[in-house]
Amino acid sequence: MRAVLTRVLSASVTIDGKIVSEIGKGFLVLLGVHVNDTEAQAKKIADKICGLRIFEDENGKMNINPKDAGAELLIVSQFTLYADCSSRRPGFTDAARPEISEPLYELVVKECRDRGFRVGTGVFGADMKVESVNDGPVTIVLDI
C-alpha cells in the first residue's frame, strides 16, 4: 500500500462542480492499493498516518502527532500511485482492481475514524478535483 501524505491548512474534493468533502488543518492522503495488499497493510498504513509526528511543536520541530495537533484527514483513492512509467504510456497492472482496492481503502478510512479522527473522503472511482493549501510544504511518501 502506498500513500502520499501532505500536511495541509485545508483541502477539498469537488465532483461535478460540487464540494463533496473538505477539511481544515490536517493531512491530505492520496492512497494507492497494490494488487498484493491485504487488510494487514491497510491497518498498518492507517496506524502510520494517524501517528506520524509532522506537526511543529513550540520549538518549530516536527514533533506533534495529528491527534494532538487537532488534525483532520482527507483520504482520496489514487490507483495511479502504482503507475509503471517504464514506457511513455503508464501501465497500471500493479494497482489493485476495484473489487480489492475499494474494501481496503474503506478499511483505512474506518481505522482512522476508529482512532477518533474526522475523516473526509473522495468518491471511489469518480472523476475528482482535489484542491489543497499545503503547509510547509511537507509531503511524505509511505510504502507499506
Side-chain angles (χ1 to χ4, degrees):
M1 197 161 280
R2 180 172 292 157
V4 175
L5 183 148
T6 302
R7 189 177 72 186
V8 298
L9 297 175
S10 63
S12 65
V13 174
T14 302
I15 300 174
D16 295 327
K18 179 182 173 196
I19 294 176
V20 296
S21 192
E22 60 186 334
I23 64 165
K25 178 178 82 171
F27 293 155
L28 168 61
V29 180
L30 304 178
L31 184 70
V33 179
H34 188 271
V35 293
N36 296 326
D37 282 340
T38 65
E39 288 186 5
Q41 277 101 355
K43 290 177 180 182
K44 188 172 182 180
I45 206 162
D47 186 58
K48 183 66 88 170
I49 290 166
C50 293
L52 200 59
R53 297 180 349 180
I54 62 172
F55 289 95
E56 294 177 356
D57 64 16
E58 64 279 354
N59 298 315
K61 302 285 185 194
M62 283 195 250
N63 198 30
I64 306 292
N65 67 45
K67 185 69 142 183
D68 292 342
E72 301 174 311
L73 308 175
L74 179 57
I75 304 175
V76 178
S77 64
Q78 186 80 45
F79 78 93
T80 59
L81 290 179
Y82 279 105
D84 173 2
C85 295
S86 57
S87 69
R88 292 186 182 215
R89 183 173 184 275
F92 300 102
T93 56
D94 284 346
R97 306 264 321 138
E99 58 272 13
I100 302 296
S101 58
E102 188 172 11
L104 292 176
Y105 164 77
E106 294 294 340
L107 179 57
V108 171
V109 170
K110 178 188 178 308
E111 289 287 319
C112 292
R113 285 181 175 147
D114 287 351
R115 287 171 172 80
F117 287 94
R118 179 181 174 276
V119 181
T121 64
V123 175
F124 191 89
D127 180 16
M128 298 174 273
K129 307 302 180 224
V130 180
E131 292 186 48
S132 64
V133 177
N134 296 350
D135 182 16
V138 175
T139 301
I140 306 286
V141 177
L142 300 173
D143 279 309
I144 302 294

